[in-house]
Amino acid sequence: METQELLIEAGRSEGQYWRDLWRYRELLYFLAWRDILVRYKQTVIGVAWAVVRPVITMAIFTLVFSKLARLSSGEVPYPVLVFAAMLPWQFFSTALVDCSNSVVNNASMVTKVYFPRLIVPISAVIVSFADFLISLALLAALMAWYHYWPSWRLLALPGLTLVVFAAGLGAGLWLAALNVRYRDFRILVPFIVQVGIYISPVGFSSNLVPENWRLLYSLNPMVGVIDGFRWAIIGNSVFVYFYWPGFLLSLSLVALLLVSGIWYFRRTEKTFSDVI
């Protein structure tokens, strides 16, 4: 009886690695679908968590910044102003946390078989995108409730969503690789997310930042992205501040984060099975 020898080997060159990434695309779909199915498994309210979390956060931010701090949003309903910013922030923060833990959470698979490790963090970001779509539907319902309709600028939303995807993946790749060696990052990342929401213009508009500080403020890459989402969803308003230099700076930082994240992840992934 003739036997066939199956040889499994890691990509020997950069080009081979990216071809392998395409060949293993079914594994990417499987991991993403598996994580979507188990995301809210054995929880009492299940997928409703994807609705409850953003709604409660929006209500708290509206209460604190609109009612207590008495910040004005002009003709724009304050819940819409907040939710338009929460949309990219929640996508980014969820992707960041899930991506940073993705390799460690799949340690048994990483240590046993070869496949392009980049598939694991990418699938984590795709799972976060599912929550983003639910939040997008919530925002549409909220805008209908307030009879506030978007303009043609909504066409920019898919492009801006890709920027958030790139930001979450870029930063997540750095943290996923560092988390394999240093478990401190498992504790540090939720703290970064907790602080990040307060230093990003989620509960307030960027026009509150003094003009001479705006470029420096835009070193936070999510500032330009959040302002872009508000510009696309809410449209023209004095309370929707769009600062082009800051937006371009954010885009540059996101591109740098993505390229450097891929570079660092590729450089360290060969050691994952030894140190994880």
Side-chain angles (χ1 to χ4, degrees):
M1 179 178 177
E2 186 179 349
T3 59
Q4 288 186 329
E5 183 180 359
L6 177 62
L7 179 63
I8 301 175
E9 57 181 349
R12 288 163 293 184
S13 66
E14 197 64 23
Q16 180 66 42
Y17 185 87
W18 295 107
R19 281 193 289 275
D20 280 354
L21 197 63
W22 174 250
R23 284 177 53 210
Y24 283 84
R25 61 188 181 281
E26 288 189 4
L27 177 61
L28 175 67
Y29 305 148
F30 168 77
L31 289 178
W33 184 242
R34 179 203 65 179
D35 290 344
I36 288 173
L37 291 178
V38 303
R39 188 171 187 81
Y40 299 108
K41 196 175 182 181
Q42 292 187 325
T43 59
V44 176
I45 61 174
V47 74
W49 276 114
V51 176
V52 170
R53 284 190 309 163
V55 168
I56 290 179
T57 308
M58 177 206 66
I60 292 173
F61 272 63
T62 301
L63 176 66
V64 171
F65 290 101
S66 176
K67 303 299 180 185
L68 299 181
R70 297 188 180 281
L71 298 181
S72 174
S73 60
E75 73 282 8
V76 182
Y78 212 92
V80 174
L81 185 81
V82 170
F83 213 105
M86 279 177 47
L87 206 58
W89 174 258
Q90 286 223 324
F91 182 19
F92 171 76
S93 59
T94 307
L96 190 69
V97 173
D98 291 351
C99 198
S100 64
N101 292 322
S102 59
V103 177
V104 174
N105 289 345
N106 288 281
S108 57
M109 193 167 66
V110 168
T111 54
K112 289 176 182 171
V113 293
Y114 165 74
F115 63 92
R117 307 300 190 234
L118 207 51
I119 282 178
V120 176
I122 291 175
S123 70
V125 180
I126 291 174
V127 174
S128 306
F129 182 68
D131 282 352
F132 171 82
L133 292 178
I134 294 174
S135 295
L136 189 63
L138 278 176
L139 177 64
L142 189 67
M143 294 180 75
W145 173 266
Y146 283 104
H147 301 286
Y148 199 92
W149 309 110
S151 67
W152 59 268
R153 293 175 178 174
L154 199 64
L155 296 174
L157 207 58
L160 291 166
T161 304
L162 283 176
V163 176
V164 183
F165 191 100
L169 181 62
L173 287 174
W174 271 101
L175 295 170
L178 290 168
N179 195 25
V180 171
R181 186 173 290 272
Y182 309 103
R183 293 297 196 276
D184 309 70
F185 285 91
R186 186 184 282 265
I187 303 168
L188 183 62
V189 172
F191 176 70
I192 292 173
V193 169
Q194 193 176 10
V195 172
I197 195 170
Y198 293 107
I199 61 174
S200 301
V202 177
F204 53 89
S205 173
S206 293
N207 64 358
L208 294 176
V209 178
E211 194 169 347
N212 55 332
W213 285 92
R214 284 173 186 167
L215 194 59
L216 184 64
Y217 184 53
S218 300
L219 286 175
N220 173 356
M222 287 307 294
V223 170
V225 179
I226 289 172
D227 287 344
F229 263 74
R230 278 196 174 126
W231 176 84
I233 293 170
I234 296 174
N236 193 23
S237 168
V238 293
F239 291 92
V240 178
Y241 185 75
F242 195 78
Y243 180 53
W244 273 104
F247 179 70
L248 295 176
L249 178 60
S250 292
L251 283 184
S252 304
L253 290 171
V254 168
L256 178 64
L257 208 54
L258 180 62
V259 172
S260 64
I262 292 173
W263 169 79
Y264 185 70
F265 189 90
R266 288 280 294 118
R267 185 185 174 195
T268 55
E269 69 172 313
K270 298 181 183 69
T271 64
F272 286 172
S273 56
D274 297 325
V275 298
I276 199 167

